Amino acid sequence: MNSTERPIFFYLFRKGRNIEIVRMTDLQAGKMWDQGERWLDVPHKTFADAQEVRKQLLSSQEPH
């Protein structure tokens, strides 16, 4: 990785009753945060980790 590249993480965002996994840099995520878009949990290094947390969060939701 050269010095201008940022590491990529997987962020979880609530989209209605669903949770979307978005792949982006910390800089991109920071800009979204500043614009009021809040992610759930911590950034994940792997898609598999993000999927597991997404599954746990969705299963803990109360059905309507």
Side-chain angles (χ1 to χ4, degrees), residues 12-55:
L12 302 171
F13 290 91
R14 184 153 313 275
K15 299 294 180 190
R17 293 196 37 81
N18 196 13
I19 296 173
E20 183 178 290
I21 299 172
V22 180
R23 182 180 183 263
M24 68 180 81
T25 67
D26 59 336
L27 187 60
Q28 292 167 313
K31 286 179 184 177
M32 289 181 76
W33 187 274
D34 291 344
Q35 294 171 354
E37 295 255 3
R38 302 293 188 244
W39 59 85
L40 309 172
D41 203 53
V42 298
H44 298 278
K45 289 185 179 183
T46 68
F47 185 71
D49 288 345
Q51 282 182 308
E52 182 60 31
V53 173
R54 178 185 176 273
K55 185 171 80 171

